[in-house]
Amino acid sequence: LTYRAVGSSTGQREFTQQTSGDFTAGLTDFAAGDIPMDPSRYSSLTTAGRSMVHVPFCLGAIGVFHSVPAGEVGDAKGLKLSPCVLAKIMKGEITTWDHQDIKAENPNLNVPAGTTIKVGHRTEGSSSTTGFTGYLNSKCPADWSLGSGSTVSWPTSSGFTPVQGSGGMASFIAGTPYAIGYLDAGHGHQQDFQEVNLKNEADTWLNSKDALMATDANGNNGVAAAGKAAAEAAPFP
C-alpha cells in the first residue's frame, strides 16, 4: 500500500485513467481530495463501463497566511484584507505592502517603504486553488479577472512564485519574508503562521480559527456549517 500527496487534480487523473485519455482503468485503487470528482472525468469513467463512489469523510478550511512581521502589522487582531484588496494582490495589481488600499484597512501597518509582496501560488492542479479562486471570483468579480478552477493563469512577474503541494506552500511562507499564500488551514495552524483576517458579508473580520471556534444553531462550527451548505447547494456526481 502506497500513498502519494500529488494534489487533488493529479489524484483524480490517476484514479480515472491509466494513460492519458484511457478511462478503462486507473493507476490507483483509491484517491482523496478536497474537491469532488470533475464531472467530465466522471462521465468518461462511467462511459468506459466503470463506477466509483464518493465517501465524504472530512471538512476543512482554506486560509490565507502571510509572513509580515507581527510587530509591523501593528494590530493584535492581525492583518486584514477585504476580498477585493486580496484579489488585487493575487492578480498582481497591488505589489507592495505599503499600498494605500492595504494601509486603509490596516492603519497601523508599518512596513519598510516599497516592500514587495511575495505571492505564492500552487502549480499544477490543486483543490486549494479551486477553493481560493472560487472565493475571489464569487466575492469580487469586478477585480478578480483570472477565473476559478484547479489551475489558473497566474502572473509570471518576479513577485510570484509557483510551489508544489501544501508542503511547498508552507515552506515558501516559512522561508520568505513578506510572503502571502493560500493553504489548508490545518497546515497553517500547525506551522503557527499568521493568518489574514478576511471581511465577510456582515463586514466582520474573521479567519479560519474564528470560524472553528464559532457555532451555529445546530451546534456546528463555522467550517462545518459552510461545508454543509455547500454540499446541499451543489450536486455531486
Side-chain angles (χ1 to χ4, degrees):
L1 181 66
T2 60
Y3 172 78
R4 297 182 302 120
V6 295
S8 295
S9 290
T10 299
Q12 287 190 9
R13 185 178 68 250
E14 294 184 351
F15 177 76
T16 56
Q17 304 159 68
Q18 56 183 350
T19 58
S20 181
D22 182 0
F23 289 85
T24 59
L27 290 175
T28 61
D29 297 310
F30 70 93
D34 300 332
I35 51 176
M37 178 60 70
D38 178 87
S40 64
R41 285 177 174 154
Y42 177 78
S43 176
S44 296
L45 181 148
T46 55
T47 299
R50 298 168 58 206
S51 62
M52 58 158 284
V53 177
H54 270 134
V55 182
F57 67 95
C58 183
L59 285 171
I62 298 169
V64 182
F65 297 91
H66 70 91
S67 59
V68 178
E72 295 179 12
V73 173
D75 189 327
K77 174 64 176 172
L79 188 70
K80 301 172 182 175
L81 296 174
S82 62
C84 291
V85 171
L86 181 59
K88 292 176 183 178
I89 292 172
M90 298 307 294
K91 74 174 186 178
E93 181 177 331
I94 293 177
T95 60
T96 62
W97 281 111
D98 60 348
H99 189 279
Q100 61 183 6
D101 289 0
I102 299 177
K103 292 282 289 183
E105 297 177 344
N106 301 272
N108 295 321
L109 184 68
N110 185 27
V111 297
T115 300
T116 299
I117 301 172
K118 300 294 187 180
V119 177
H121 63 84
R122 292 284 295 275
T123 185
E124 299 184 356
S126 164
S127 57
S128 297
T129 300
T130 299
F132 180 62
T133 58
Y135 166 77
L136 296 176
N137 199 52
S138 171
K139 299 303 180 183
C140 197
D143 287 305
W144 181 248
S145 56
L146 304 188
S148 62
S150 61
T151 60
V152 299
S153 296
W154 296 100
T156 57
S157 61
S158 60
F160 283 73
T161 300
V163 301
Q164 177 62 43
S166 296
M169 181 66 79
S171 295
F172 171 77
I173 295 171
T176 308
Y178 300 98
I180 190 170
Y182 54 95
L183 180 67
D184 59 277
H187 272 88
H189 299 163
Q190 187 178 46
Q191 297 285 337
D192 201 28
F193 290 152
Q194 297 180 85
E195 187 171 3
V196 173
N197 296 283
L198 304 173
K199 181 184 283 190
N200 67 10
E201 294 178 355
D203 287 335
T204 301
W205 297 100
L206 297 170
N207 57 43
S208 64
K209 281 189 175 180
D210 296 325
L212 289 167
M213 293 173 61
T215 55
D216 65 8
N218 297 315
N220 297 313
N221 67 44
V223 174
K228 181 176 183 295
E232 291 175 346
F236 293 92

